[in-house]
Amino acid sequence: MNSSTEADHGAASSDDAAVAGAPEKASAAVPGPPAPEGRGVPKWRRTLRPYLLIVPALLLTGGILYPFGLGLYYTVFDFAASKPQPDFVGLENYRRIFTDSSFWDSAWVTVLYAVGAAAVETVLGVAVALLLHRSTLVGRVLEKVLILPLMIAPVIAAIIWKLMLQPSVGVVNYLLRPFGLGGVQWTDTPTGALLSSIAVDVWVYTPFVAILALAGLRSLPTSPFEAAAVDGAGWWFTFRKLTMPMLWPYVLVAVIFRFMDSLKVFDIIYALTEGGPGDSTVVLQIRAYLEAIRFQRYSFGLSYMIVLWAVVYLAAMVLVRYLGRIQNRAAEVPK
């Protein structure tokens, strides 16, 4: 009796084990998910794919370097409209540039323009950003209006200002006439033409500096300013010791862009004064245009452009290195 019971119990146990193992066998029989599609891609295609991704960048780089190299190649010849068969002259074009007094006059005008425009735009841009940083209704409205000059092409802005600065019919002299300042020859004197060109540049690009400075102000941490307020620090102390050291990297980015762009300015000056009166506002970019297009000395004009490129490159390299030091110094300010 006992043996039959034990046999029945063993059979039941074996049946339970079989039932328990059935799902495992069934799950093992179910096919798994399909293999990833990439496993079926040939190895040579997977190896080639990263290189195909950089093709657009290589094409863009080639599109920039090819005309630059071609222009550099032309500078060692004497291509001109009066000389259909140019000769190899080596560095003669560069020697002529650096021994020509007109080059140094244009370089001096270029430096004056770039430094003056960048300095005024930086001061005004930071001042406007500080005013707009206060969350008021007027500030929010002016913030939207601030971008309007940037939406106007510099050439169009220069033409508009050229009409407004006319001595006899210009609206600027009309508005200044009640103050005894009417009839000013804004663009007819060397100093007035240069200052007028800088003023137009300031009107167009000060919003660019202000927008960058405003973005920097809104990204600054609030804890240092709260601690300074608790300690009773005044506005000037807070601005000089906290705001400007932390804001300066943002401002310097705007200075780099504006200084580099002002070194190679063409549109504003040419539309406003065409380099006059005389050669008083002939910057390096306009000098290159006059030599290559108007006087049809192509290699000589290209040599001017290569020299201008070298000046802009060196100035940018110095400013970017200074920006790195300023960023490291700003990172040390307690936040």
Side-chain angles (χ1 to χ4, degrees):
M1 184 70 179
N2 293 334
S3 61
S4 63
T5 303
E6 292 176 357
D8 294 340
H9 179 71
S13 300
S14 61
D15 293 339
D16 294 339
V19 172
E24 296 178 0
K25 294 180 180 179
S27 62
V30 175
E37 186 177 352
R39 293 183 182 177
V41 178
K43 182 178 180 181
W44 66 270
R45 289 181 58 183
R46 294 200 303 269
T47 305
L48 189 61
R49 186 178 299 170
Y51 299 98
L52 292 177
L53 295 176
I54 65 173
V55 169
L58 292 177
L59 293 176
L60 180 61
T61 304
I64 296 174
L65 292 181
Y66 174 74
F68 176 80
L70 188 62
L72 191 63
Y73 169 76
Y74 285 158
T75 60
V76 298
F77 292 88
D78 56 350
F79 282 95
S82 60
K83 194 166 187 179
Q85 299 297 329
D87 298 324
F88 178 81
V89 295
L91 301 178
E92 177 63 21
N93 288 321
Y94 297 101
R95 188 198 65 80
R96 287 176 55 195
I97 286 177
F98 290 112
T99 56
D100 189 0
S101 60
S102 61
F103 165 77
W104 298 107
D105 294 338
S106 297
W108 175 244
V109 174
T110 303
V111 171
L112 286 178
Y113 183 93
V115 173
V120 176
E121 289 164 10
T122 301
V123 174
L124 291 180
V126 172
V128 171
L130 290 172
L131 293 175
L132 297 181
H133 186 51
R134 301 176 179 272
S135 182
T136 61
L137 178 61
V138 177
R140 289 193 293 270
V141 172
L142 291 179
E143 183 180 346
K144 305 302 184 293
V145 177
L146 188 65
I147 200 173
L148 290 179
L150 293 175
M151 300 172 64
I152 302 175
V155 173
I156 303 301
I159 293 175
I160 294 173
W161 276 98
K162 184 176 182 178
L163 297 174
M164 294 171 61
L165 294 175
Q166 287 292 325
S168 57
V169 297
V171 67
V172 174
N173 279 344
Y174 176 79
L175 295 175
L176 294 177
R177 191 170 297 135
F179 303 98
L181 299 175
V184 177
Q185 306 291 326
W186 294 102
T187 60
D188 294 338
T189 62
T191 303
L194 181 60
L195 292 179
S196 299
S197 302
I198 293 175
V200 175
D201 195 296
V202 168
W203 183 83
V204 174
Y205 290 110
T206 294
F208 172 76
V209 181
I211 290 172
L212 286 184
L214 184 61
L217 284 171
R218 291 178 176 174
S219 66
L220 297 182
T222 58
S223 55
F225 300 97
E226 294 172 353
V230 171
D231 293 339
W235 178 87
W236 175 245
F237 180 85
T238 303
F239 175 77
R240 186 166 52 93
K241 295 295 184 179
L242 290 178
T243 304
M244 279 311 297
M246 291 190 290
L247 183 64
W248 185 237
Y250 300 92
V251 176
L252 190 57
V253 170
V255 171
I256 292 174
F257 278 106
R258 290 305 314 131
F259 185 72
M260 291 171 55
D261 198 36
S262 299
L263 283 175
K264 53 186 180 67
V265 66
F266 177 84
D267 43 11
I268 290 179
I269 294 181
Y270 193 79
L272 187 66
T273 66
E274 295 186 6
D279 290 344
S280 58
T281 56
V282 176
V283 293
L284 289 176
Q285 187 86 308
I286 294 181
R287 179 71 65 183
Y289 164 79
L290 294 176
E291 294 290 344
I293 305 301
R294 182 170 296 181
F295 305 144
Q296 296 183 343
R297 297 194 286 259
Y298 309 124
S299 293
F300 197 53
L302 282 171
S303 300
Y304 263 98
M305 292 303 301
I306 296 298
V307 171
L308 178 59
W309 169 83
V311 171
V312 174
Y313 177 79
L314 292 175
M317 185 173 61
V318 172
L319 289 174
V320 168
R321 288 185 178 179
Y322 180 65
L323 173 63
R325 292 198 295 267
I326 291 297
Q327 288 176 336
N328 293 334
R329 191 182 308 170
E332 298 174 358
V333 177
K335 295 182 171 63

